Amino acid sequence: SQQGEEDPQALSIQEGENATMNCSYKTSINNLQWYRQNSGRGLVHLILIRSNEREKHSGRLRVTLDTSKKSSSLLITASRAADTASYFCATDAQGGSEKLVFGKGTKLTVNP
Amino acid sequence: EAGVTQSPTHLIKTRGQQVTLRCSPISGHTSVYWYQQALGLGLQFLLWYDEGEERNRGNFPPRFSGRQFPNYSSELNVNALELEDSALYLCASSLYGRLTNYGYTFGSGTRLTVV
């Protein structure tokens, strides 16, 4: 079963705009991670935020985590056509079994 | 440093056949995870191996199995293939017990088509 649910399922923006994707999850977590997948390829780890952190930055990426609402958001600023990909959140559940549980992803299209 | 490598990259099999997919983790990583990604769906957890042992298994039938070798490489075997097994099979590796620090490193996947 899916732990995380991304929202929206698909997002289309113009180059230069910001893109925001959301993720909701169900159980208490140790950390939450975001991954990117280019069309039909493997996933690339973008950023990890621990349960005791509220915000984290990496380049043009900003991730927030609200454990009280069991939600996270990924913001990509000043988007580029190369950012076109699917983005997945994944959770490492507390008391879990050392495996990540992925959502179904948000498909982001950045139009040049 | 070589990343996670998977082979083959593409495979076409007939329903009822058996298939073996291979994965080599990043040097020093002891854990290997297998995921199935059917078209348009998210990643479904299949299997987790660490130090040669199966640590956890997802909600898949027994015809999905695998193993991990002493060099930490891994195989995923699927018997009696069904059409719905058509998917991208992704392998990932991590340092056992370090998941909270580093996350997973994924291979590029094996695209399996069952006809």
Side-chain angles (χ1 to χ4, degrees), chain B residues 25-91:
Chain B
I26 286 179
S27 177
H29 284 192
T30 62
S31 278
V32 171
Y33 306 82
W34 287 94
Y35 285 83
Q36 181 197 64
Q37 186 180 29
L39 189 64
L41 298 180
L43 278 73
Q44 300 291 328
F45 170 70
L46 268 165
L47 289 159
W48 168 35
Y49 292 96
D50 183 77
E51 297 287 358
E53 293 190 16
E54 182 180 302
R55 301 290 184 177
N56 201 357
R57 180 183 181 84
N59 188 26
F60 281 83
R63 58 191 186 83
F64 286 84
S65 65
R67 56 180 172 168
Q68 186 179 36
F69 299 97
N71 66 355
Y72 303 119
S73 66
S74 176
E75 286 182 352
L76 173 68
N77 299 293
V78 187
N79 294 321
L81 283 167
E82 300 179 0
L83 296 179
E84 53 263 35
D85 296 334
S86 294
L88 180 67
Y89 288 85
L90 292 163
C91 171

Side-chain angles (χ1 to χ4, degrees), chain A residues 1-2 30-31 33 35 37 39-45 48-50 56 86 88 91-93 96-105, chain B residues 33 35 37 40-45 48 55-58 88 90 94-109 111:
Chain A
S1 63
Q2 305 298 132
N30 293 315
N31 67 68
Q33 303 176 34
Y35 288 79
Q37 183 182 35
S39 178
R41 306 286 301 195
L43 279 72
V44 174
H45 182 257
L48 179 153
I49 186 166
R50 296 183 179 82
K56 203 162 184 179
S86 291
F88 294 85
T91 52
D92 170 25
S97 50
E98 282 280 344
K99 64 176 173 68
L100 288 179
V101 180
F102 287 80
K104 293 184 178 181
Chain B
Y33 306 82
Y35 285 83
Q37 186 180 29
L41 298 180
L43 278 73
Q44 300 291 328
F45 170 70
W48 168 35
R55 301 290 184 177
N56 201 357
R57 180 183 181 84
L88 180 67
L90 292 163
S94 77
L95 292 171
Y96 178 69
R98 305 292 180 88
L99 177 63
T100 56
N101 293 331
Y102 300 111
Y104 290 177
T105 302
F106 278 86
S108 295
R111 172 73 64 187

